[in-house]
Amino acid sequence: NKVIVALDFPSKEEAMALVDQLSPSACGLKIGKELFTRAGPAFVTSLVDRGYSIFLDLKFHDIPSTVAKAVCIASDLGVWMTNLHASGGMRMMSMAKEALLQKHSDMLLVGVTVLTSMDEAELLESGVQRSLNDQVLYLSCKAKASGLDGIVCSAQEVRRVKEETGDKFIAVTPGIRLSENNDDDQRRVVNPSEAAALGSDYI
């Protein structure tokens, strides 16, 4: 399914109140840092056991050997997809993917390009001299060259990325909001129908 529901809650109980209204046949689930830190790996595996495809959104970024070990542990939890920061470099990305291949894991590994909470000014402030669109494309190409399965970017950037990397390179697009619901810290947002039209693989 193209839809991944974000379990952005501070507790397992609040997350489960939503999960109980959903179906594994209708959507996947995303577990991020906040909920994972609170509920831990056992909560992840409990949702896997219920039949959900889990996107473990922990955005690993560390020395290559540490990231490689971490993504392998994520795979052991039975998750469908996890991510790392593409800005961590090709050695980090390629070592992580190679570690998964060596253990015959089919878990998807995608690289975060530029967080959808960032705009052009914030990217420049961080020391990046490329434009935001150019930085997304640059990191997307590095992620593909490192063997990753895809990237995380705003749906606004998907079309250009696909032109460069091909349709089989997965684009996961957060920052999906209904037109009347955009009062959080996201910057580069689109609504679901726009994301689908722009070529997002998962929203």
Side-chain angles (χ1 to χ4, degrees), residues 59 83-88 93 110-116 118 123 128 132-143 148 150-154 157 161 169-170 172 174 188:
K59 301 181 181 73
N83 57 6
L84 49 71
H85 272 289
S87 58
M93 290 189 282
V110 295
V112 178
T113 54
V114 178
L115 296 171
T116 50
M118 296 188 78
L123 184 66
V128 174
L132 195 151
N133 285 337
D134 285 349
Q135 179 70 354
V136 169
L137 185 61
Y138 172 79
L139 291 175
S140 297
C141 291
K142 293 298 182 183
L148 267 58
I151 47 91
V152 181
C153 67
S154 167
E157 294 119 23
V161 169
F169 196 58
I170 296 167
V172 182
R188 303 189 329 277

Side-chain angles (χ1 to χ4, degrees), residues 78-135:
V79 305
W80 160 63
M81 177 166 62
T82 195
N83 57 6
L84 49 71
H85 272 289
S87 58
M90 290 186 68
R91 188 160 66 97
M92 187 191 82
M93 290 189 282
S94 59
M95 281 185 63
K97 185 60 181 180
E98 180 60 29
L100 291 173
L101 293 174
Q102 287 181 2
K103 72 194 306 284
H104 305 291
S105 170
D106 60 359
M107 181 184 70
L108 297 175
L109 184 61
V110 295
V112 178
T113 54
V114 178
L115 296 171
T116 50
S117 62
M118 296 188 78
D119 58 20
E120 200 85 43
E122 288 173 311
L123 184 66
L124 182 62
E125 187 181 60
S126 73
V128 174
Q129 299 302 307
R130 297 182 189 87
S131 70
L132 195 151
N133 285 337
D134 285 349
Q135 179 70 354

Side-chain angles (χ1 to χ4, degrees), residues 52-74:
Y52 282 100
S53 296
I54 302 298
F55 173 25
L56 190 59
D57 180 25
L58 298 184
K59 301 181 181 73
F60 297 114
H61 189 167
D62 211 312
I63 64 174
S65 60
T66 296
V67 171
K69 292 171 185 175
V71 299
C72 286
I73 292 172

